[in-house]
Amino acid sequence: MKTRINFSSFFKSIFALALVCSLGNQAQAQQTVLLDNIIARVGSHIILRSELELQQAQAVSQGYPATTELRCNILQTMIQNKVLLTRAEVDSVVVEQALVDGELEQRLSMMIGQIGGPEKLEAYFNKPMSQIREDLRKSMRENLTIRKMEREISGKIKVTPKEVKQFFNQIPQDSLPYYSTEVEVGQIVKVAQIGNAQKQAAKQQLEEIRKRIVAGEDFAALAKQYSQDPASAAEGGTLGFFKRRELVPEYEAAALRLKPGEMSPVIESMFGFHLIQLIEVRGEEYSSRHILIKPATAQVDMQATAQALDSIKTLIQKDSITFAKAAKDFSDDMTSKGNGGMIALGNSPTTYLPVDQLDPSIFFVIDTMQVGSISAPLPYRTEDGKEAMRILYLKSKSAPHQANLKDDYQKIAAAALSNKRNRAIAEWFAKNKNTVFVDVAPDFQACKLDE
């Protein structure tokens, strides 16, 4: 049987870059897309030649040889993902809108920060921000839906100690990895709470802007000047068309109470305070613009957050609560709190972190810590840009060594579990691929994708 390389985790790690580049490709080729650029149709979805070439280039940059087998394996993974997406639509597997919104805002903020501003992002893609946002939203939703469908198929699969041992024993001795110094690091994060004074200041600022609009000033011009949503501010606050339940409930409810051209009172959502103007309603879709003002985080809030973390640290040191329980009960970091507060790299299922891959902000703190100790509260900025504080816990530190079951059971078990889940997804695909229409261009028939 032909062995296929598993690219699942690889594609997750390059998703952000691939997404950026694919948007760019779409922008450059928008007027010249030909039918022969479509290399596969899967249900109602298509795969473009440019998408395959992009992912192949990224794989080669990661050290994979540029072979026909690589190209075929990438296409196989892309087709499998589209089959998963199609079946998810049939089986009504839905990703929560709040998750899509959160991922979208985080990704947009990262892209804007990396490229140097919303205007540069628009110039790079040759698209207005509203269209960039819409393209990103579609890709985000598809990717999250595929991942959720994978969890539906393999999420309940477990491995026994016997299976872990069998998996390890199948690895040739000369192929066992050599691990550099590794650490296990936990964190408890507390986002600085915004006091009433900061909220009232933000709301009052927006009330003053509203008065200026009522007095005759242009909504779009003031949005460009004052809105703290960088993705829409450059467009005069315009978000483009959205279907119902695609924006946060508070925003949608306020927008849909308006008639086209009308402006809302100041409303609050998880993102801050909004002033909304409805532009147009088209069937089940509506277009609106907004001005967003976020409450400022004051220094006093950071001090109060540090004091709260100090109290948690004291409880742990007095054995009144374990670090894992404290992380679960008190941490605001949703990624690590369900894992006992332990930090993982990317999509890695293990909590062992090579020191040469640590973020410098973590490395230079734990480098002088003893195993079992907890740091003082440290300033921290969350991935979505919120001011926070955190404490770090050095759980373990290992010397460089060749992989073995005694010292590396968690990593080996994680690899065995990943392998078993990937096999389950491959088996599901083999059983279900014929339930979805798949048509591949003639020049890719040699890939033997049906095997």
Side-chain angles (χ1 to χ4, degrees):
M1 180 179 290
K2 182 178 178 182
T3 300
R4 297 194 185 278
I5 299 171
N6 172 32
F7 288 93
S8 178
S9 59
F10 168 72
F11 284 126
K12 291 177 185 176
S13 67
I14 68 166
F15 170 68
L17 181 57
L19 183 58
V20 171
C21 294
S22 63
L23 282 169
N25 288 341
Q26 292 171 22
Q28 295 168 5
Q30 193 171 21
Q31 303 301 321
T32 59
V33 173
L34 302 176
L35 283 178
D36 63 0
N37 278 340
I38 299 175
I39 60 173
R41 296 180 184 274
V42 184
S44 61
H45 302 280
I46 62 172
I47 297 174
L48 299 177
R49 189 180 301 272
S50 59
E51 294 172 334
L52 174 63
E53 291 173 349
L54 170 68
Q55 295 195 10
Q56 183 179 6
Q58 291 299 323
V60 171
S61 74
Q62 294 288 323
Y64 289 93
T67 62
T68 300
E69 182 182 15
L70 173 68
R71 189 175 182 85
C72 289
N73 283 328
I74 293 174
L75 180 56
Q76 173 80 357
T77 299
M78 296 175 77
I79 290 173
Q80 177 175 303
N81 282 342
K82 294 299 185 183
V83 170
L84 285 165
L85 182 61
T86 302
R87 283 301 303 269
E89 293 167 350
V90 172
D91 297 345
S92 299
V93 175
V94 179
V95 176
E96 295 79 6
Q97 187 56 44
L99 180 61
V100 178
D101 286 341
E103 290 280 341
L104 174 64
E105 295 305 323
Q106 182 177 318
R107 186 68 64 205
L108 267 177
S109 295
M110 182 190 73
M111 290 165 61
I112 290 169
Q114 288 178 338
I115 205 167
E119 295 84 2
K120 291 184 178 179
L121 192 66
E122 289 182 317
Y124 180 81
F125 289 136
N126 193 27
K127 291 182 178 181
M129 188 60 69
S130 58
Q131 187 60 51
I132 295 173
R133 180 190 287 270
E134 188 60 29
D135 290 344
L136 276 170
R137 180 182 295 278
K138 181 176 182 294
S139 297
M140 287 276 181
R141 185 182 297 281
E142 287 190 359
N143 188 267
L144 290 170
T145 301
I146 290 167
R147 301 288 82 82
K148 185 172 182 178
M149 189 65 183
E150 287 181 336
R151 291 194 299 272
E152 293 279 335
I153 296 166
S154 65
K156 295 181 180 180
I157 291 175
K158 308 293 181 184
V159 288
T160 65
K162 181 180 179 180
E163 289 174 315
V164 174
K165 186 176 181 180
Q166 289 174 340
F167 176 82
F168 179 76
N169 289 337
Q170 290 172 357
I171 303 173
Q173 187 68 26
D174 59 0
S175 297
L176 290 174
Y178 188 83
Y179 294 121
S180 61
T181 300
E182 294 180 316
V183 293
E184 286 185 290
V185 180
Q187 65 177 3
I188 297 176
V189 177
K190 293 298 292 180
V191 174
Q193 295 300 305
I194 299 168
N196 286 331
Q198 288 75 40
K199 284 189 174 184
Q200 288 303 315
K203 185 176 181 181
Q204 184 58 39
Q205 181 183 358
L206 206 48
E207 293 284 8
E208 294 300 322
I209 293 172
R210 190 178 192 281
K211 290 178 182 177
R212 291 171 61 178
I213 296 170
V214 171
E217 292 192 50
D218 183 61
F219 190 111
L222 292 176
K224 288 182 179 181
Q225 184 176 355
Y226 293 107
S227 182
Q228 293 173 352
D229 175 9
S232 68
E235 291 291 306
T238 300
L239 294 177
F241 278 94
F242 286 91
K243 296 178 181 178
R244 294 174 186 271
R245 295 184 295 280
E246 284 191 341
L247 296 177
V248 291
E250 300 88 348
Y251 186 101
E252 179 176 290
L256 294 180
R257 280 195 294 265
L258 303 172
K259 295 179 181 178
E262 287 185 342
M263 178 173 56
S264 73
V266 175
I267 65 111
E268 184 179 6
S269 80
M270 61 185 288
F271 298 109
F273 291 94
H274 307 259
L275 195 58
I276 304 167
Q277 185 178 57
L278 183 65
I279 299 173
E280 181 183 355
V281 177
R282 185 193 299 163
E284 290 299 309
E285 297 182 325
Y286 63 98
S287 174
S288 63
R289 60 168 58 98
H290 77 144
I291 300 173
L292 173 69
I293 300 295
K294 301 177 182 179
T297 302
Q299 184 64 32
V300 65
D301 296 318
M302 296 296 284
Q303 292 173 351
T305 305
Q307 290 171 0
L309 284 172
D310 261 328
S311 299
I312 295 170
K313 176 182 175 181
T314 300
L315 289 173
I316 298 169
Q317 290 174 328
K318 290 182 176 180
D319 291 329
S320 299
I321 191 173
T322 64
F323 186 91
K325 182 68 164 56
K328 180 180 179 181
D329 291 348
F330 302 117
S331 182
D332 292 329
D333 181 68
M334 303 308 294
T335 302
S336 61
K337 69 180 297 177
N339 197 31
M342 305 311 294
I343 299 172
L345 291 178
N347 295 300
S348 172
T350 177
T351 57
Y352 287 91
L353 313 174
V355 293
D356 58 356
Q357 295 183 36
L358 284 178
D359 186 291
S361 66
I362 295 177
F363 174 79
F364 288 113
V365 174
I366 63 133
D367 190 45
T368 57
M369 289 172 57
Q370 298 295 317
V371 172
S373 61
I374 302 173
S375 74
L378 304 162
Y380 177 63
R381 185 179 290 275
T382 64
E383 290 187 355
D384 57 356
K386 293 178 181 176
E387 295 289 343
M389 301 286 288
R390 69 176 172 181
I391 51 177
L392 296 176
Y393 166 52
L394 181 58
K395 182 179 180 180
S396 71
K397 186 174 184 178
S398 66
H401 63 281
Q402 192 171 43
N404 63 80
L405 277 172
K406 179 183 177 182
D407 298 320
D408 307 299
Y409 183 85
Q410 185 189 59
K411 291 192 289 291
I412 296 166
L417 178 60
S418 178
N419 183 64
K420 188 174 181 180
R421 287 178 173 172
N422 288 331
R423 288 202 315 269
I425 292 172
E427 290 169 2
W428 179 94
F429 177 70
K431 292 178 181 178
N432 289 274
K433 62 185 178 183
N434 292 330
T435 67
V436 177
F437 171 78
V438 178
D439 184 32
V440 180
D443 51 332
F444 289 92
Q445 297 294 338
C447 286
K448 298 180 180 180
L449 299 170
D450 289 335
E451 293 184 0

